[in-house]
Amino acid sequence: KAGVTQTPRYLIKTRGQQVTLSCSPISGHRSVSWYQQTPGQGLQFLFEYFSETQRNKGNFPGRFSGRQFSNSRSEMNVSTLELGDSALYLCASSLAGALDYGYTFGSGTRLTVV
Amino acid sequence: GDSVTQMEGPVTLSEEAFLTINCTYTATGYPSLFWYVQYPGEGLQLLLKATKADDKGSNKGFEATYRKETTSFHLEKGSVQVSDSAVYFCALSDDKIIFGKGTRLHILP
């Protein structure tokens, strides 16, 4: 059974640019959540998508956005990149309403903004 | 809002030592509780979970008991191995999963 796949694994971008990250969940999982991980702030929730609809959103500026496709694959986009956006971005998938069972995480995309 | 507090690391132990990583939570409802582990260069892996008070989650020799009266979910292992070196995260489920800051564990051979 394939796990959660995130692409690319590494990215280097320049301040002011935009970036798109991709996440393919486990087959059958309809919920995809995104987290930002930094040494100072730890894991912070960005948003969750379920059946192509944003179901929940964290406290991030509007520069961070996402979407989910009909096959449950999800993308997140960060526009006008800032140095502070450098982080590991983790995607997690779960069955619908499966908070009792936890998430399955991908290996993450390491974004470096220079 | 709901939150998770776990002991700061790093924690350094010798192989075969007993491990405890403390975790307490604040929640308005009755969340499920989790421990996740992150190995270098990887995402988080679910280690164990408990869905209601007094439940004990266990996996790979690790255990944690959901204590509602003390709002705690401490992680324990009787004899750690070098391969247990990783970062451990305590977490709870709200309308999303909320994580603690993580505890880095380093096991010396």
Side-chain angles (χ1 to χ4, degrees), chain A residues 9-10 35 37 40-43 45 48 56 88 90 98-108, chain B residues 31-32 34 36 38 41-46 49-51 89 93-101:
Chain A
R9 286 297 307 273
Y10 302 94
Y35 285 81
Q37 186 179 21
Q41 299 298 317
L43 283 147
F45 174 76
E48 179 199 6
N56 205 347
L88 180 67
L90 292 166
L99 288 182
D100 284 351
Y101 300 95
Y103 292 156
T104 300
F105 280 85
S107 297
Chain B
S32 293
F34 309 90
Y36 282 83
Q38 186 176 34
E42 298 183 15
L44 278 69
Q45 299 176 25
L46 178 63
K49 61 174 172 63
T51 58
F89 293 89
S93 64
D94 189 324
D95 56 346
K96 57 188 173 291
I97 293 188
I98 297 169
F99 291 89
K101 290 287 180 86

Side-chain angles (χ1 to χ4, degrees), chain A residues 62-82:
Chain A
R63 300 185 296 108
F64 291 81
S65 62
R67 59 178 176 168
Q68 187 179 34
F69 302 95
S70 59
N71 62 358
S72 293
R73 189 177 72 85
S74 177
E75 290 181 346
M76 69 162 282
N77 183 277
V78 189
S79 62
T80 319
L81 283 166
E82 301 176 0

